[in-house]
Amino acid sequence: LSDSSGITLNGQLIDRRERQDRTDHVIRSSPALVQVPSALLRAGRNEVVLTVRHGKWPRAGLSVVEFGEEAVIEARHEAFKRERHDLPIALNVVAGTFATLLIFIWLARRSEVGAALFGACALLSSLRNISYFGAPVLSAVAGDLVGYLSNVMACSFSLMCALHATGGCTPRRR
């Protein structure tokens, strides 16, 4: 669910999220567990209205909405958060730590340029992903820029590795 959204049940607001950066960008979407007050439910048809706002952010979408008993839904929500939210953050922290180690290796041995390039690319990607899945560290525009730069670096690094493997980046002797 977008981090800028509202949910009404039978005309009554039951949940509102307003997380945006200063330039009116909704940073991301995140799992939401909304408890429905039983007093608002009525016999027969109930109307749930989701208002999703993305501001200037060019992304939209809504995952599957589930209804059910509180204990069952809460357990599924926690499992979903662990798998789709907490695990990616943990993996990106590990990748960022490894990337930082590669940069330190390059600082100790300046000949390890490949390690530095790969480390810088991985660190940029990890920071961007942590910002996306975790607390927004970067604005939406800065996050997109870092994501773009990490893709450019990944392509450049792949080209440099291919050239190095084929001997294309060293001068040939005649």
Side-chain angles (χ1 to χ4, degrees):
L1 185 63
S2 169
D3 277 353
S4 183
S5 60
I7 302 174
T8 61
L9 172 64
N10 296 324
Q12 297 291 319
L13 183 67
I14 59 172
D15 186 64
R16 178 180 215 96
R17 296 160 34 132
E18 290 291 336
R19 294 184 205 124
Q20 297 168 243
D21 67 9
R22 286 183 229 158
T23 56
D24 193 35
H25 287 90
V26 176
I27 302 298
R28 59 191 160 88
S29 297
S30 58
L33 178 63
V34 178
Q35 294 189 351
V36 177
S38 57
L40 294 179
L41 293 172
R42 46 186 179 207
R45 184 176 178 206
N46 289 280
E47 183 177 293
V48 177
V49 177
L50 299 172
T51 306
V52 179
R53 188 169 155 262
H54 288 279
K56 296 175 184 173
W57 192 240
R59 298 183 182 136
L62 179 67
S63 62
V64 175
V65 177
E66 297 183 42
F67 296 95
E69 293 182 29
E70 184 176 354
V72 174
I73 295 297
E74 194 169 295
R76 290 172 76 171
H77 176 73
E78 288 303 316
F80 180 84
K81 270 183 45 180
R82 274 192 308 275
E83 179 185 321
R84 303 281 174 97
H85 186 263
D86 300 342
L87 181 61
I89 290 174
L91 292 174
N92 278 287
V93 167
V94 169
T97 304
F98 175 69
T100 304
L101 177 66
L102 288 175
I103 292 171
F104 282 135
I105 288 172
W106 171 73
L107 288 172
R109 296 175 56 187
R110 293 295 175 139
S111 62
E112 299 292 337
V113 176
L117 290 170
F118 184 77
C121 177
L123 186 59
L124 271 175
S125 297
S126 295
L127 289 175
R128 195 263 181 209
N129 292 340
I130 290 168
S131 176
Y132 180 78
F133 285 106
V137 178
L138 304 171
S139 72
V141 174
D144 276 352
L145 180 61
V146 170
Y148 172 76
L149 290 176
S150 64
N151 286 334
V152 169
M153 284 186 68
C155 291
S156 301
F157 176 70
S158 297
L159 177 63
M160 287 178 189
C161 285
L163 288 172
H164 180 71
T166 61
C169 62
T170 57
R172 297 181 187 257
R173 296 183 187 197
R174 294 182 186 223

